[in-house]
Amino acid sequence: MAVISFLEEHRTWVLTGESCTYALRLDEDDVPTHVHWGPPLPEADVVELMESTLPWWDGFNDPNEGLGELAADGGTRYWTPALQVRFADGTRALEWRYADHDVTDGHLRLFFEDRHYPLRITLHYRLRGAVLERWTELGADTDVEVVRADSATWALPVFEDYRLSHVTGRWAAETQLHRSPVPHGETVFGSRRGITSHHANPWVMVDDGTATEGHGEVYGIALAWSGSWRLTTTRSSTGRLTVSGGFGQDGVVHRVGPGRPLTTPVAAGLYTDGGFGAASRAWHAYVLAHVLPHPDELRPVLYNSWEATGFDVTEAGQRALAERAAALGVELFVMDDGWFGARTGDHAGLGDWQVNRERFPDGLKPLVDAVHGLGMRFGIWVEPEMVNPDSDLHRAHPDWVLHHPHRRRSELRRQLVLNFARPDVAAWAHEWLDRLVGSQGIDFLKWDMNRPFSEAGWPGERDQDRLWVEHTRAVYALLDRLRADHPGLRIEACAGGGGRIDLGVLTRTDQVWTSDNTDALDRLRIQHGYGQVYPARAMSAWVTDNPNFVTARSVPLEFRFHVAMAGVLGLGGDIVHWPEDDLTLARELVALYKDIRPVVQHGALYRLRPPVDDGVTALQYVHGDRVVVFAYRQAAHFNAPERPLRLAGLDPAHRYLDPDSGVTHSGAVLLARGLPPGLPTGDFASRVVRLERVKI
């Protein structure tokens, strides 16, 4: 249970959650100032920490620099600013004045004003389990330009050294994990693309360079935002490190005024002393408990038609795929691109969301009914934020796209971006989506977004920069409204693969498409980086055909299944043409996945051996009395002997039964000495081991 205390004599607030204490105070100038973030501390120890702070500096080196809770620009504050404002008369410096505070149900609000100008700042703190959520609200009675408005500044303890963990990538190679020393000065991670992006993801973790998977202090910060964003680490010569982050990018100005407040997205912070593994498990628990809209559900096994048919979509072809999918045990059938307008390729029709009557003479309802009759739910692909120039929508409303006067409209994938910040565009999107879902009996939307912003202008609008924030918020609002109007609807977020994965989109979707790259070998590393913060419960993973359409690599079907079964299992191959042996194996593995699904989707993840080389990698899920181990040999070299996998998260006082072999194992032995993987010989060998705790 979260506890928030106010030490009035010291003007200090202490927040204590499941595994950490966070404390801040007001300094003599009313500036909200950091005191502690880390292991749980009693209030008396927090007071002792304040007494050790030295209010001295020599004019060049301020020992307290960087301790601002929201580092503001102005005066003698030279740290990376989290808040920069410009008033109507050109004044830029902010001077804090404390007004009041409020505590309600684990939520602390601190109210401030500028000492002269009518600017109001509210700092929010909310404890949810092991995670502290922070965000900022700005309001003003006259127009104020906000040059930068981060959600929070996070000050870390002074360590001997710092190491940074984060992910980078590109299309079809998302979420590649990197760990490296934190450079001195400012290091910026971010996206200027209007979406989260394939190239970086809005989270970082920091340790002192000695943390391992199972030991050591780790601090993590993650943004709940799906538009442009940035996280800045600042490391000074005095040893202090901060992480500041929020939405926005250089050159984009927010305008706050009467009736136009600004609220930043949540920046979530997490501390653990249990290493990277404990950090990931805490993030996963937070997402399941406080982020995902239907966390207790088991995500269904799905089939998606894209790789089987491409744009060559017909009712007969989709029925054939659906019948085969149902026979394999699939529970959700998803028809991808090509069902609407003149969409026979990527060159035309996007934006014209009417059923193509040449392909579906009687509309979609006969196919939807047939899929439902096979015992499956029906899903459909949409890309509401995009339009082809060759479309009826664009010909009727060329002003609806992002554009600048006298500048070309850059096309990527032969598409332009619709400006969802416009109320008429958002209303149009809601009308056809609401009609599609409601009239056709749609159970599931695969919501795609296949290109970043360009020429992000809004001719005729006085405050054009607001589209960078309002577009994303309009997408959020539309998703929220569809969910409210259609409680049974489930949604998958996609952006050309993993271009929109973050805590913001997960708040209103049920799963995310991790990458367009379904190559099982590459997916091991993509899924490894994804799982540092985000849970398997939301990680969509498909089994597709050989050779893989991205890498041209051929991998055994069992290996492909076993990799995809570590998340939300899907099938995406041309299953109508699979040989009978493959179909038989697929039915068996789908059945196996359904058995282990509660453990994978709701269990605690332990990374036993990461995919850092081309040898054996393994991971484990624990849920209640059940354990599932996935082991993969990527490549075999020099006839290397098989090393046992030391399991984790078990009860050493109990025994564990392998129901497939009938053998029981001591929990203490599995923890101390490990489990032989028992992998078949050769490359691309894999195995799934099920264990059940034996009642004593």
Side-chain angles (χ1 to χ4, degrees):
M1 178 65 180
V3 177
I4 301 176
S5 303
F6 178 48
L7 311 183
E8 187 169 5
E9 179 183 356
H10 302 280
R11 302 209 302 170
T12 296
W13 293 267
V14 181
L15 302 89
T16 300
E18 287 182 359
S19 57
C20 77
T21 292
Y22 191 96
L24 68 148
R25 67 182 180 91
L26 300 178
D27 73 5
E28 60 276 7
D29 293 322
D30 275 4
V31 176
T33 302
H34 180 74
V35 175
H36 172 73
W37 182 27
L41 288 180
E43 293 175 2
D45 291 354
V46 171
V47 172
E48 182 178 331
L49 277 176
M50 290 189 295
E51 293 170 351
S52 66
T53 302
L54 298 175
W56 172 88
W57 72 308
D58 57 15
F60 296 99
N61 301 295
D62 181 356
N64 297 316
E65 189 177 28
L67 290 177
E69 282 288 287
L70 188 71
D73 190 18
T76 59
R77 298 187 291 265
Y78 303 109
W79 204 258
T80 302
L83 179 61
Q84 291 178 294
V85 297
R86 183 166 50 231
F87 298 102
D89 62 3
T91 299
R92 294 178 63 96
L94 174 73
E95 293 189 357
W96 297 85
R97 175 189 288 152
Y98 171 67
D100 200 356
H101 78 274
D102 175 71
V103 177
T104 307
D105 297 329
H107 182 178
L108 168 66
R109 299 172 181 85
L110 302 180
F111 303 101
F112 296 88
E113 301 167 347
D114 183 83
R115 289 188 179 276
H116 175 78
Y117 296 94
L119 175 67
R120 297 178 298 280
I121 308 108
T122 304
L123 303 184
H124 293 261
Y125 300 77
R126 182 170 60 196
L127 278 164
R128 285 183 156 178
V131 170
L132 176 62
E133 297 179 339
R134 297 177 58 189
W135 68 98
T136 300
E137 274 186 274
L138 302 174
D141 297 327
T142 60
D143 287 352
V144 177
E145 290 188 345
V146 180
V147 179
R148 180 166 181 164
D150 284 354
S151 300
T153 301
W154 301 85
L156 277 73
V158 176
F159 291 150
E160 290 295 322
D161 201 359
Y162 296 97
R163 180 173 58 179
L164 191 69
S165 299
H166 64 106
V167 292
T168 65
R170 61 184 189 280
W171 175 78
E174 298 90 335
T175 56
Q176 303 298 297
L177 180 64
H178 300 275
R179 290 199 168 113
S180 58
V182 180
H184 284 77
E186 296 181 12
T187 304
V188 181
F189 305 88
S191 167
R192 300 185 181 94
R193 298 168 184 264
I195 55 174
T196 320
S197 90
H198 304 78
H199 307 81
N201 200 267
W203 65 263
V204 295
M205 295 190 200
V206 178
D207 73 294
D208 66 358
T210 66
T212 65
E213 190 67 20
H215 304 282
E217 292 186 304
V218 176
Y219 291 80
I221 295 100
L223 286 174
W225 185 244
S226 309
S228 293
W229 59 272
R230 62 188 157 197
L231 287 168
T232 304
T233 64
T234 305
R235 183 177 183 182
S236 74
S237 58
T238 61
R240 178 157 293 121
L241 176 71
T242 66
V243 180
S244 185
F247 56 15
Q249 62 197 66
D250 294 342
V252 173
V253 176
H254 312 280
R255 286 173 171 81
V256 176
R260 300 193 311 279
L262 181 68
T263 302
T264 70
V266 165
L270 182 148
Y271 164 82
T272 180
D273 60 1
F276 296 113
S280 295
R281 289 187 290 277
W283 280 121
H284 300 167
Y286 165 71
V287 173
L288 289 170
H290 302 290
V291 177
L292 286 172
H294 301 284
D296 296 332
E297 290 185 356
L298 291 173
R299 300 310 308 139
V301 178
L302 70 79
Y303 176 82
N304 182 284
S305 68
W306 173 249
E307 291 198 22
T309 63
F311 293 105
D312 187 17
V313 174
T314 65
E315 183 176 335
Q318 296 296 304
R319 280 178 179 265
L321 288 168
E323 290 168 1
R324 181 57 56 85
L328 294 178
V330 167
E331 299 157 311
L332 166 63
F333 180 85
V334 183
M335 180 170 62
D336 213 279
D337 201 350
W339 59 269
F340 56 92
R343 191 70 168 169
T344 57
D346 68 358
H347 61 285
L350 195 58
D352 299 337
W353 298 100
Q354 298 85 32
V355 177
N356 184 316
R357 290 290 176 163
E358 293 183 5
R359 296 180 165 192
F360 298 90
D362 298 315
L364 294 180
K365 201 67 168 67
L367 176 62
V368 175
D369 289 345
V371 168
H372 286 159
L374 290 167
M376 298 184 293
R377 285 176 268 182
F378 184 86
I380 199 165
W381 178 94
V382 293
E383 193 172 6
E385 298 159 77
M386 298 292 142
V387 65
N388 286 129
D390 184 3
S391 66
D392 293 339
L393 178 70
H394 186 259
R395 284 184 282 271
H397 300 286
D399 56 322
W400 279 13
V401 302
L402 302 181
H403 69 284
H404 288 299
H406 316 299
R407 292 292 180 265
R408 75 175 68 181
R409 302 186 184 192
S410 300
E411 295 181 25
L412 298 174
R413 299 169 61 98
R414 303 184 185 182
Q415 297 176 194
L416 298 171
V417 182
L418 291 167
N419 181 2
F420 266 47
R422 292 179 56 130
D424 50 356
V425 176
W428 161 85
H430 175 263
E431 189 279 329
W432 71 260
L433 280 163
D434 181 62
R435 174 168 33 86
L436 174 69
V437 172
S439 66
Q440 303 297 325
I442 305 297
D443 304 299
F444 180 91
L445 291 178
K446 182 178 177 69
W447 183 301
D448 211 343
M449 203 281 194
N450 270 313
R451 60 152 293 180
F453 290 7
S454 61
E455 293 84 46
W458 185 352
E461 166 62 28
R462 185 176 70 89
D463 181 11
Q464 295 191 35
D465 278 359
R466 71 185 180 92
L467 74 84
W468 289 94
V469 170
E470 293 306 321
H471 179 103
T472 299
R473 288 207 165 131
V475 171
Y476 286 172
L478 179 50
L479 291 169
D480 292 342
R481 188 175 175 187
L482 286 171
R483 282 189 168 281
D485 292 342
H486 306 280
L489 180 67
R490 301 296 179 261
I491 302 173
E492 177 177 280
C494 175
R500 191 184 261 165
I501 298 174
D502 55 79
L503 296 177
V505 80
L506 284 173
T507 304
R508 40 198 47 92
T509 59
D510 301 278
Q511 59 199 62
V512 290
W513 180 225
T514 323
S515 177
D516 281 348
N517 185 351
T518 57
D519 180 298
L521 188 63
D522 287 350
R523 270 297 183 115
L524 287 173
R525 297 201 178 192
I526 291 170
Q527 294 175 185
H528 177 66
Y530 165 96
Q532 300 296 313
V533 169
Y534 308 116
R537 160 65 177 70
M539 184 178 73
S540 185
W542 296 354
V543 178
T544 57
D545 291 335
N546 276 336
N548 185 269
F549 90 102
V550 171
T551 66
R553 180 185 285 120
S554 292
V555 176
L557 183 62
E558 187 170 56
F559 191 91
R560 282 177 272 154
F561 260 97
H562 286 166
V563 172
M565 287 161 64
V568 176
L569 177 64
L571 282 72
D574 189 1
I575 53 177
V576 168
H577 295 103
W578 279 16
E580 192 58 42
D581 287 349
D582 284 357
L583 294 172
T584 299
L585 178 59
R587 278 191 291 271
E588 294 172 356
L589 292 172
V590 168
L592 172 61
Y593 177 74
K594 289 178 179 178
D595 176 67
I596 66 174
R597 174 168 49 184
V599 186
V600 172
Q601 294 191 14
H602 292 149
L605 169 66
Y606 294 88
R607 294 181 286 263
L608 305 180
R609 199 170 292 163
V612 295
D613 55 30
D614 61 357
V616 172
T617 180
L619 61 155
Q620 170 194 340
Y621 293 97
V622 179
H623 183 57
D625 292 334
R626 300 189 66 193
V627 180
V628 176
V629 179
F630 293 91
Y632 312 95
R633 181 187 298 113
Q634 301 164 89
H637 292 284
F638 308 113
N639 195 27
E642 193 173 73
R643 292 182 295 148
L645 299 170
R646 292 181 63 178
L647 303 193
L650 307 185
D651 186 338
H654 282 74
R655 298 189 67 80
Y656 288 81
L657 168 69
D658 180 343
D660 296 310
S661 67
V663 175
T664 62
H665 304 269
S666 158
V669 170
L670 292 174
L671 291 167
R673 289 291 180 261
L675 175 76
L679 290 168
T681 59
D683 296 345
F684 306 130
S686 58
R687 186 180 175 215
V688 176
V689 180
R690 296 179 292 174
L691 299 173
E692 299 172 1
R693 184 167 58 183
V694 178
K695 303 293 184 182
I696 298 178

